[in-house]
Structures are given as C-alpha cells and as structure tokens.
C-alpha cells in the first residue's frame, strides 16, 4: 500500500500543519497585508496623513520588532515554507484541464512564489533590517519622502513602481483566492452555490484591496515632496529629499542616508 | 465530414516498456464511439504507414458509462471511451483523435492501467458498512428521503479514475487518496450504520494523504462522468475533519 511513507507526509502532524498554514495565511499574515496596504494608501491624503499613520505604528517601540517577528515574520516564514512544499507536492495541469478552478489553483501557487520573492526584496528595500545589506530606503521619521524616493528607483532598468505593482497584486490575489479556498478547506462553504457566492465576495474583496494597494504604489510614485531624479547616488538622493521633502517637520539634522548606517538605530530610539 | 479519420494511440507493450505512438486510419460509422473504433483497429491492425501491428489492448465492459473500466485520455483529457463519440470529437479537432492511457496509474499494456491505488484508498477509508454476521441486531435505522437524495449520487461512483487523473494533487509520488475515496468516506459516514465507524474514517481523512492534500483545483467535479458532487463531499469532509480534530484535541 502506498500509504506508509511518502515525500509529502509529515509524520502525524500533516493535517495540523496544513490547517495552521491555512490559518497563518489569514491570521495574522492576511490581516497584516490589509492593514499595511490601507496604511500605505493614506499617502494619497498627503505626506502628513501618512506620517501620522506611520507614527502610530512606530509608537509600539520598543515592542515593534518583537511584534513584527512573532506577529508577521515567523507566521509568514512558516506559511512560505509550507506553501512551497504544497506547491511542489502537486503537478499543475492547466494545459489539459482549462477550468477556472484549475487556473486559480495554479495561479495561487505562482502568486505565492512571486509574493515570496517580492516580500524578501521589499524587506531588504524598505525595512531597516535590510540596512547592512545596502537597502533600508524607508525612514519612519520621514516616511512619505523616503518611501516616495524609493519608489522612483528602478531595478534592472524596470521602474520599481511597476515591480511593486506586480508584487502587491500577487499578494492580493494570493490572499483573496486563499480566503476563498480556506472557506472550503475549513468546511464553511460546502455546496457549489455557497462557494460561488463566497467566490464573488472574495473577488470583490480582492479588487478593492488591489485598488487600495495600487493606489499606494501610485501615491508614493507621484508624491510631490520628492521631485528628485533617480540618477544620483544614495547620499545625494537623501540630500535632495531634505531640500524638497517635508523632512523639515521633524527637524532631523542628521537625516538617514544609506552611508550613515550606524546612525539609524539611534534615530529609531528617539 | 470525411468518411475516414485518424487515431493516434500511445502504446506500450509491458509495464516497464517504453511507449510509442502508432497512427491508424479507420472508416467512420454512424454513432461510432472510441470503443468501437478500437474494435475496428483490432480487426485490422495496420498503421497509416502500412505497417502490420497488433490489436491495441484496452479495458471496456458495460459500454454505457456505469462500470468505469474504459477511462483513458481522449485528446489529452480523461473520460470514458464508451461515451466519447468520434463525430463529436472530430467536430472539435478534425485532424485526428489521440488516445493515451491514464497518466496517474501504472500502465499494464497499451491503454490498460492498474487502478489498484484507488481500491487501496477505498479500503484505507473503510468505504463499507460494517456488518456483524453473528447476531441479529434487528432492523437498521430508517434513512430519511432527504438523506437518500443526498447519498444516492455518491453511490453512483464507479471508481473509474477520472477525478484522480485530472487532480493535480494526485500522482504516483503522492499519498493523496483522491476525491473518489473522500466522497465514499462521506457517503458511509452519513449512513446510519456506516457512521459507527465515522471516527475511524475521520482519523484516516485527517492523516497523511487525507483531506489536507486537496488543493481545491476542483477539476474532479468537472470531469466526473457521473456528475457526483465531489467538491461538496470534499468540503463536507473538511468540515467534519475540522470538528473531529478540535474534539480530538480537547478530549484527549
């Protein structure tokens, strides 16, 4: 019998791990995505509105990092590791069976992979954890200007806002479709009719969150506080931001630049 | 429509042999299905190149889509050969009809595969009503009309293999029992006497290769020749598994 051992088995915890994977994708990771994109979209109401939201999050200091690790990074890593295992445990066959559900199944795996790569890049690019690796463009004390500046960069000649748009949409699709399948997995939507209805609800949720996410990317890209050309070096960029941006409202003289790596931790304390 | 049509068949002489394609041309007949086409090829197994070949091995039995024996890949997707009509297939793809054995099971010869894995899955989930033959327990409980109507479609499963063949989560290296076995577990868990073993089945469903391996691609319900509501069974099993796992956790 083929039941005894297989590459996909995980001892006696197979079911539990899969359900925790489903749960982690919604709570906390999915909830975080909704909050994160919503907060970011406040850039469309101006730099100060966005700064207010960022300050509210950073008020959690000194507990912010523990909250991030326990509430986001670990569940996300768990979800990703198991997600890749689930991906590789299947043999996608959209070529032979071109049904909507099958396309969604395959797309769920692809967007999960895209989201994973994007999130790693995004962490390096924006989070202070990426500082020692030359990333960490975002400064919570000068949120709008630094984020806007970061969104004007490009990677391998591709404008970064386009890559962010793809990454954000991958995350949003993965969450919306994951929400739909989780309702089936947990046995909440059982019949075809309820699954169709929940499908529409999840689709609307996805479209709305997608618009919110794209509006954030666009908001940073077009933010007027940072009318700088991208060709400059990092140090020059940050110098320019101080002139044009709203850095003045904080009066931080020793404003962060990628070269001043050691000063950022000090800044985060104040 | 031309009188003759071409059939390309993926052939394999023995379980460990290499596969090869052979092309035949046969005379179209009114209402011809794939099983008849294979009979005509058997009557004169000469390929398009004029090479003398051998009759193609295939499974067939009832010829009315109730036994499940003749599942194969027709034009790349799984279905019963007996209800695959040549004219309908040629309307969609006039050049030729391709026939292959199902890809998720070991090939015995040509289009014949070994579906043991499916029957093993049925035995894993105890897909039967346990009856003790030593004592008379009297009449069993009555089943409501409503329950009968819910259960009847599930009883029409013929273990043909279409659902698992189309399932991206089911393949030779996977331990997944597949939609058919899950649906049968649900059928017998909802049966008043079958439900005596409900926990046993749920233990299997919440184990390796159980319900957690479903990826919700929902191909199964699309390809099922018996239109069995397989995704409903899967979601029902998911619901029972959720309740069962929580109960197990707190009652242990």
């Amino acid at each position: 019998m083929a039941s005894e051992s297989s590459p996909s088995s995980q001892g006696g915890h197979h079911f539990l791990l899969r359900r925790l994977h489903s749960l982690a994708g919604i709570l906390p990771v999915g909830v975080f995505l909704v909050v994160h994109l919503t907060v970011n979209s406040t850039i469309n109401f101006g730099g100060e509105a966005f700064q207010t939201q960022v300050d509210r999050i950073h008020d959690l200091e000194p507990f912010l990092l523990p909250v991030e690790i326990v509430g986001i990074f670990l569940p996300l890593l768990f979800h990703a590791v198991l997600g890749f295992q689930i991906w590789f445990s299947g043999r996608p066959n959209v070529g032979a069976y071109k049904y909507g559900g099958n396309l969604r199944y395959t797309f769920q795996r692809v967007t999960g992979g895209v989201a994973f790569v994007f999130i790693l890049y995004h962490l390096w690019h924006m989070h202070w954890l990426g500082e020692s690796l030359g990333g960490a463009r975002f400064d919570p004390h000068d949120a709008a200007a630094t984020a806007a500046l970061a969104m004007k960069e490009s990677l391998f000649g591709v404008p970064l806002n386009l890559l962010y748009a793809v990454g954000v949409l991958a995350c949003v699709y993965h969450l919306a479709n994951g929400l739909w399948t989780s309702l089936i997995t947990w046995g909440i939507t059982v019949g075809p009719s309820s699954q169709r209805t929940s499908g529409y609800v999840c689709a609307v949720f996805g479209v709305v969150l997608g618009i919110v996410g794209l509006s954030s990317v666009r908001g940073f890209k077009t933010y007027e506080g940072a009318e700088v050309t991208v060709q400059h070096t990092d140090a020059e960029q940050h110098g320019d931001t101080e002139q044009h941006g709203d850095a003045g409202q904080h009066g931080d003289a020793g404003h962060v630049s990628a070269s001043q790596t050691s000063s950022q931790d000090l800044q985060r304390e104040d | 429509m031309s009188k003759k049509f071409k059939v390309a068949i993926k052939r394999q002489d023995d379980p460990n042999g290499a596969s090869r394609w052979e092309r035949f041309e046969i005379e179209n007949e009114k209402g011809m299905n794939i099983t008849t086409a294979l009979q005509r090829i058997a009557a004169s197994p000469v390929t398009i190149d004029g090479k003398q070949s051998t009759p193609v091995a295939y499974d067939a039995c009832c010829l009315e889509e109730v036994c499940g024996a003749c599942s194969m890949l027709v034009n790349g997707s799984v279905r019963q050969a007996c209800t695959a009509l040549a004219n309908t297939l040629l309307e969609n793809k006039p050049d030729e009809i391709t026939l292959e054995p199902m890809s998720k099971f070991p090939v015995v010869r040509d289009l014949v595969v070994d579906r043991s894995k499916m029957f093993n899955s049925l035995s894993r989930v105890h897909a039967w009503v346990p009856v003790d033959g030593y004592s008379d327990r009297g009449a069993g409980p009555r089943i409501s009309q409503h329950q009968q109507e819910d259960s009847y479609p599930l009883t029409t499963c013929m273990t043909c293999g279409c659902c698992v063949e189309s399932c991206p989560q089911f393949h030779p290296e996977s331990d997944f029992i597949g939609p058919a076995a899950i649906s049968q577990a649900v059928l017998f868990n909802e049966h008043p006497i079958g439900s005596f073993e409900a926990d046993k089945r749920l233990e299997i469903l919440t184990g390796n290769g159980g319900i957690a391996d479903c990826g919700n691609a929902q191909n199964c319900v699309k390809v099922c020749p018996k239109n069995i509501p397989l995704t409903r069974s899967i979601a029902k099993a998911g619901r029972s598994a959720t309740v069962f796992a929580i109960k197990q956790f707190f009652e242990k």
Side-chain angles (χ1 to χ4, degrees):
Chain A
M1 207 147 86
S3 64
E4 303 318 326
S5 72
S6 92
S8 70
S9 66
Q10 287 149 328
H13 304 297
H14 184 62
F15 179 79
L16 179 69
L17 286 172
R18 287 292 173 92
R19 286 297 170 93
L20 286 178
H21 171 260
S22 171
L23 183 66
I26 298 166
L27 200 75
V29 177
V31 170
F32 168 71
L33 179 65
V34 174
V35 172
H36 189 42
L37 293 181
T38 311
V39 164
N40 286 358
S41 71
T42 59
I43 187 66
N44 293 297
F45 301 107
E48 279 186 41
F50 178 55
Q51 185 66 55
T52 310
Q53 297 300 320
V54 172
D55 287 343
R56 274 179 54 195
I57 292 168
H58 286 264
D59 277 349
L60 281 172
E61 297 278 18
F63 303 110
L64 186 56
L65 185 60
V67 167
E68 278 182 307
I69 289 175
V70 177
I72 306 167
F73 296 152
L74 289 181
L76 188 60
L77 191 66
F78 169 76
H79 187 80
V81 169
L82 229 74
F84 277 111
Q85 199 232 333
I86 292 171
W87 188 356
F88 299 136
S89 78
R91 302 278 160 83
N93 56 7
V94 266
Y97 304 97
K98 295 181 184 70
Y99 303 120
N102 204 19
L103 287 168
R104 289 195 293 273
Y105 164 93
T106 308
F107 211 49
Q108 183 70 357
R109 278 135 187 84
V110 173
T111 52
V114 170
F116 182 71
V117 173
F118 168 66
I119 290 164
L120 283 184
Y121 177 79
H122 176 54
L123 269 176
W124 168 82
H125 186 231
M126 294 291 214
H127 198 275
W128 61 267
L129 285 170
E131 200 178 294
S132 56
L133 298 166
R137 301 286 192 277
F138 179 70
D139 172 18
H141 294 102
D142 189 10
T146 51
L149 207 55
M151 211 45 62
K152 287 176 176 23
E153 295 176 15
S154 59
L155 186 71
F156 304 125
V158 185
L160 213 50
N161 61 316
L162 291 184
L163 294 180
Y164 263 78
V166 171
V168 166
L169 287 181
C171 294
V172 169
Y173 173 86
H174 195 78
L175 175 60
N177 189 59
L179 211 55
W180 180 73
T181 56
S182 72
L183 288 171
I184 302 170
T185 300
W186 291 83
I188 295 167
T189 51
V190 170
S193 169
S194 71
Q195 289 178 8
R196 204 174 309 119
T197 307
S198 72
Y200 292 136
V201 173
C202 291
V204 169
F205 165 76
V207 168
V208 170
L209 190 61
I211 291 170
V212 169
L214 290 181
S215 82
S216 314
V217 175
R218 190 183 160 277
F220 289 125
K221 174 75 174 177
T222 59
Y223 181 63
E224 284 172 3
E227 292 157 332
V228 202
T229 43
V230 202
Q231 280 77 23
H232 300 298
T233 64
D234 281 336
E236 281 170 336
Q237 278 181 21
H238 287 289
D240 283 351
T241 325
E242 277 180 71
Q243 287 161 22
H244 299 281
D246 56 357
Q249 81 184 66
H250 295 280
D252 288 346
H255 185 61
V256 178
S257 79
S259 53
Q260 290 172 286
T261 40
S262 57
S263 69
Q264 194 170 8
D265 274 333
L266 291 171
Q267 286 217 344
R268 291 177 62 254
E269 304 294 326
D270 58 36
Chain B
M1 185 164 294
S2 66
K3 209 63 181 92
K4 284 189 167 185
F5 67 93
K6 294 184 189 118
V7 187
I9 302 173
K10 195 180 184 187
R11 304 198 57 178
Q12 182 173 329
D13 290 337
D14 59 81
N16 301 314
S19 60
R20 64 182 190 281
W21 285 89
E22 278 186 3
R23 286 182 165 73
F24 300 91
E25 192 163 46
I26 53 174
E27 207 63 50
N28 200 348
E29 293 167 28
K30 188 167 176 277
M32 187 181 227
N33 62 12
I34 293 303
T35 312
T36 318
L38 288 166
Q39 285 174 344
R40 297 294 178 267
I41 290 169
S44 145
V46 181
T47 66
I48 280 183
D49 320 319
K51 214 180 95 216
Q52 182 67 38
S53 188
T54 50
V56 179
Y58 63 94
D59 264 334
C61 185
C62 72
L63 304 182
E64 54 177 1
E65 208 170 60
V66 291
C67 79
C70 64
S71 311
M72 60 182 71
L73 303 185
V74 181
N75 285 345
S77 54
V78 72
R79 58 181 301 176
Q80 305 300 114
C82 64
T83 48
L85 298 177
N87 279 341
T88 318
L89 293 166
L90 292 167
E91 267 169 35
N92 298 324
K93 189 171 167 289
D95 49 331
E96 68 177 11
I97 295 169
T98 63
L99 303 178
E100 297 160 78
M102 285 196 284
S103 65
K104 306 284 175 82
F105 301 101
V107 173
V108 177
R109 185 188 167 105
D110 293 341
L111 302 172
V112 180
V113 297
D114 176 5
R115 284 178 290 143
S116 298
K117 195 176 170 186
M118 286 197 83
F119 302 112
N120 283 338
S121 296
L122 287 179
S123 103
R124 273 170 80 179
V125 298
H126 290 244
W128 54 77
V129 171
V131 277
D132 176 348
Y134 293 101
S135 58
D136 183 2
R137 291 177 169 184
R142 289 179 67 84
I143 302 177
S144 73
Q145 188 70 30
H146 179 76
Q147 182 62 50
Q148 283 177 37
E149 280 162 15
D150 261 8
S151 297
Y152 178 71
L154 309 192
T155 68
T156 63
C157 177
M158 51 194 187
T159 327
C160 64
C162 288
C163 59
V164 291
E165 173 66 27
S166 70
C167 175
Q169 294 293 110
F170 185 98
H171 51 83
E173 282 84 49
S174 98
D175 194 22
F176 186 35
I177 57 172
I182 292 172
S183 188
Q184 291 304 297
V186 169
L187 169 68
F188 288 105
N189 271 10
E190 288 182 351
H191 185 279
I193 298 176
S195 68
F196 293 171
E197 287 200 326
D199 281 3
K200 213 179 218 171
R201 294 191 193 95
L202 286 169
E203 208 149 323
I204 302 298
L205 287 180
T206 53
N208 290 335
I211 187 78
D213 278 349
C214 172
N216 290 308
Q218 302 200 334
N219 291 346
C220 53
V221 76
K222 295 275 183 188
V223 299
C224 178
K226 306 306 289 182
N227 293 320
I228 298 170
L230 291 165
T231 49
R232 179 199 291 270
S233 290
I234 288 169
K236 270 187 182 176
R239 176 181 285 180
S240 312
T242 305
V243 174
F244 176 74
I246 293 170
K247 260 175 67 181
Q248 285 280 98
F249 180 80
F250 286 105
E251 286 180 8
K252 247 180 194 166

